[in-house]
Amino acid sequence: MKALILVGGFGTRLRPLTLSVPKPLVEFANKPMILHQIEALKAIGVSEVVLAINYQPEVMMTFLKEFETKVGIKITCSQETEPLGTAGPLALARDKLIDDSGEPFFVLNSDVISEYPFKQMIEFHKSHGGEASIMVTKVDEPSKYGVVVMEESTGKVQKFVEKPKLFVGNKINAGIYLLNPSVLDRIELRPTSIEKEVFPSIAAENKLFAMVLPGFWMDIGQPRDYITGLRLYLDSLRKNSSSKLARGSNVVGNVLVDETAKIGEGCLIGPDVAIGPGCVVESGVRLSRCTVMRGVRIKKHACISGSIIGWHSTVGQWARVENMTILGEDVHVSDEIYSNGGVVLPHKEIKSSILKPEIVM
């Protein structure tokens, strides 16, 4: 089986992290985002992953070559010269996706994190005999999304309603699809949307079916959702493989710590924290609801919550960093500084407090 991951463009919503690496390579829970998907695909027998990409393909491919051998899966790149939307990339990668087997292929949005129930999806797809299957997930506020209206009993999709004003349902497209090769005949090579153009025409022929995603789901393409996604992911880890989580008197709730990180005396870490490789957390530090990326040093008695600390940054003694502060790569926060929602570009030194959310160039 094959899979296409829609990587797309610049990852502007996750700047300043994406100023250093392409978005799919930004770590989430100590692993590049895209690797969560590739490993899950490999686990159910996908042999080749095609990345649809229009930005920095060299950086991506250099990095992924190393994973090709590690994970044991073929990874190729289909490069757009202009943005092709969510359906155009399928037409562009047509020759890579079609082989003689006639097997369906997966399509994923690269920002989506979940338990990836691919095995159940294959069974669902075979059972209904339609042309395409999509995953849907239940949300509390459907008015922000495109809602999928479907028959509860069969999963047959009736229609799509974009950002409904009146309640029509609470299931939204989760960005995970399983498509028969014949779907490619419906897509022209031009900028086009799979959600707005391709799926409605398949649904009109009663050949589109939706499966409700079991477990959690999050689109982690922006900082607030990234932090929420980490909480949901660690929750799921607690249920399914709790041995990966940190334990100890200094740990509260779900915490993931790389084995090469060093944590000092008298710290309190958690809930919902990921600490990356080579990090040094000095004594008396308080961390909650945050991600601390590779090579970061957090000095004594600093306090960090609801924030993302980029690679090789330092946070000074008694500093307080909170409220969706995002530090880019190699940012140095001086001692006793307060950051309230500062978004700091790479290679900066912060010597005065950031009292309200702002971008620091």
Side-chain angles (χ1 to χ4, degrees), residues 297 299-300 302 313-321 327 331-339 348-354:
R297 176 177 285 269
K299 297 189 178 169
K300 293 174 188 165
S313 293
T314 52
V315 175
Q317 297 184 31
W318 297 102
R320 188 176 185 96
V321 172
L327 305 184
V331 168
H332 303 284
V333 175
S334 300
D335 294 351
E336 299 181 35
I337 291 292
Y338 173 56
S339 171
K348 291 289 294 178
E349 200 173 345
I350 301 297
K351 293 177 174 167
S352 55
S353 288
I354 301 166

Side-chain angles (χ1 to χ4, degrees), residues 268 281-290 292 298-307 309 315-323 325 333 336-339:
L268 190 56
V281 179
E282 295 183 4
S283 59
V285 165
R286 176 74 180 106
L287 303 178
S288 64
R289 301 189 329 281
C290 64
V292 179
I298 297 169
K299 297 189 178 169
K300 293 174 188 165
H301 307 293
C303 176
I304 300 173
S305 71
S307 298
I309 311 299
V315 175
Q317 297 184 31
W318 297 102
R320 188 176 185 96
V321 172
E322 61 185 26
N323 190 21
T325 291
V333 175
E336 299 181 35
I337 291 292
Y338 173 56
S339 171

Side-chain angles (χ1 to χ4, degrees), residues 61-347:
M61 288 317 292
T62 310
F63 176 86
L64 289 164
K65 280 293 162 227
E66 161 195 341
F67 277 105
E68 237 183 3
T69 40
K70 216 183 268 181
V71 181
I73 191 168
K74 186 178 175 194
I75 301 171
T76 55
C77 189
S78 169
Q79 193 188 349
E80 306 162 37
T81 48
E82 57 165 343
L84 289 172
T86 50
L90 278 73
L92 186 65
R94 183 189 175 105
D95 296 345
K96 294 183 193 292
L97 292 170
I98 286 196
D99 52 26
D100 305 331
S101 71
E103 288 274 326
F105 58 88
F106 284 102
V107 177
L108 282 74
N109 287 346
S110 69
D111 294 352
V112 166
I113 197 88
S114 75
E115 283 169 13
Y116 305 121
F118 296 138
K119 202 165 185 286
Q120 294 99 300
M121 196 172 189
I122 294 169
E123 287 159 12
F124 174 74
H125 187 74
K126 285 180 179 156
S127 72
H128 65 64
E131 198 173 353
S133 301
I134 67 174
M135 280 279 184
V136 294
T137 185
K138 292 179 181 170
V139 290
D140 297 334
E141 264 188 80
S143 59
K144 296 198 307 200
Y145 303 95
V147 172
V148 180
V149 182
M150 57 190 264
E151 277 177 12
E152 289 300 321
S153 54
T154 62
K156 184 160 53 169
V157 175
Q158 292 153 329
K159 60 177 178 174
F160 294 83
V161 184
E162 195 56 42
K163 296 185 178 161
K165 296 280 182 286
L166 296 168
F167 185 84
V168 290
N170 64 347
K171 296 181 191 70
I172 64 162
N173 174 353
I176 300 172
Y177 320 129
L178 186 55
L179 312 176
N180 286 352
S182 57
V183 171
L184 293 170
D185 300 334
R186 300 172 177 267
I187 305 171
E188 295 170 29
L189 182 52
R190 60 178 175 86
T192 164
S193 160
I194 199 164
E195 301 86 355
K196 297 192 175 101
E197 297 179 56
V198 182
F199 287 156
S201 71
I202 303 175
E205 295 173 25
N206 296 320
K207 291 180 181 173
L208 180 67
F209 291 80
M211 172 180 157
V212 179
L213 182 82
F216 78 98
W217 176 88
M218 200 72 214
D219 176 327
I220 55 172
Q222 51 194 1
R224 195 169 296 279
D225 297 337
Y226 176 105
I227 295 284
T228 303
L230 183 64
R231 172 174 63 78
L232 298 171
Y233 175 84
L234 293 176
D235 262 350
S236 155
L237 213 53
R238 165 77 62 201
K239 291 189 193 90
N240 300 319
S241 47
S242 63
S243 60
K244 292 181 180 171
L245 295 171
R247 291 185 183 78
S249 57
N250 59 344
V251 171
V252 188
N254 299 332
V255 173
L256 195 60
V257 180
D258 186 89
E259 56 193 17
T260 60
K262 294 183 172 64
I263 294 177
E265 295 292 305
C267 292
L268 190 56
I269 314 264
D272 309 322
V273 172
I275 299 174
C279 290
V280 177
V281 179
E282 295 183 4
S283 59
V285 165
R286 176 74 180 106
L287 303 178
S288 64
R289 301 189 329 281
C290 64
T291 286
V292 179
M293 292 188 174
R294 189 181 58 250
V296 165
R297 176 177 285 269
I298 297 169
K299 297 189 178 169
K300 293 174 188 165
H301 307 293
C303 176
I304 300 173
S305 71
S307 298
I308 303 174
I309 311 299
W311 311 269
H312 307 291
S313 293
T314 52
V315 175
Q317 297 184 31
W318 297 102
R320 188 176 185 96
V321 172
E322 61 185 26
N323 190 21
M324 268 327 122
T325 291
I326 317 291
L327 305 184
E329 181 183 17
D330 181 40
V331 168
H332 303 284
V333 175
S334 300
D335 294 351
E336 299 181 35
I337 291 292
Y338 173 56
S339 171
N340 173 18
V343 173
V344 185
L345 273 66
H347 315 299

